[in-house]
Amino acid sequence: MRNVDVTVRSYQLGDAPALIELFERSVRDVGPARYSPAQVSAWLRGARDPQHWHERLAEREAYIAQTPDGTVLGWIEMELDGHLDYLYCAPEATRSGVADVLYAVLIAGARKLGITRLTTEASRFAESFFSRHGWQLDRREVITRDGVEIDRARMSVALG
């Protein structure tokens, strides 16, 4: 694992376009290793509206990892009920420690808010990350997006 120099900050107005671009690159570049072309395409549909992203992110605990020059390498977001919704890193930041740094900041934020349990729906990629951090598999599920089935894992962790 290579480490990168990142700082983590809270989501700000104006971050949505960079996050959309990072999300699309991540799914498009990394997705085909574990998902079919149809699944990747369905996963990407509807991801381009910055206003929708901003409204959603503004209501959550959301943290951005960026390099000293301001390049966004990843983000993580949690609803205030403890549901971890998105954790994405740029393809070039995969296995670099960025996700670990973001996760640590989110856990500290969750504890500060008094949240005692986190839940998520993890992709095939994210499942191993969460397992490594002590999450348990609650059940597997298949969702249908635009007529395409995509499997994922419902997972949870208690914050001690």
Side-chain angles (χ1 to χ4, degrees), residues 39-112:
Q39 289 171 316
V40 169
S41 180
W43 196 347
L44 286 170
R45 277 194 204 109
R48 294 200 151 278
D49 180 6
Q51 184 60 34
H52 168 76
W53 279 63
H54 173 67
E55 289 170 5
R56 189 173 57 81
L57 285 159
E59 296 177 352
R60 299 171 183 212
E61 288 292 305
Y63 303 100
I64 311 297
Q66 65 184 37
T67 62
D69 71 1
T71 302
V72 174
L73 291 182
W75 91 95
I76 193 168
E77 62 183 79
M78 176 187 67
E79 296 172 66
L80 298 181
D81 65 357
H83 179 256
L84 194 158
D85 199 7
Y86 282 19
L87 169 57
Y88 282 91
C89 291
E92 64 273 15
T94 303
R95 293 186 174 87
S96 68
V98 171
D100 294 313
V101 170
L102 284 164
Y103 181 74
V105 171
L106 182 91
I107 293 299
R111 286 187 171 127
K112 198 178 279 189

Side-chain angles (χ1 to χ4, degrees), residues 102-152:
L102 284 164
Y103 181 74
V105 171
L106 182 91
I107 293 299
R111 286 187 171 127
K112 198 178 279 189
L113 292 169
I115 295 171
T116 58
R117 182 174 183 268
L118 298 177
T119 61
T120 197
E121 296 82 31
S123 70
R124 292 178 186 165
F125 293 102
E127 186 175 349
S128 62
F129 172 85
F130 289 114
S131 292
R132 187 166 46 87
H133 286 281
W135 289 60
Q136 69 179 24
L137 173 65
D138 296 326
R139 68 182 166 98
R140 298 204 176 279
E141 67 181 8
V142 176
I143 61 164
T144 303
R145 190 172 285 167
D146 294 330
V148 178
E149 291 185 345
I150 302 172
D151 58 300
R152 62 187 188 181

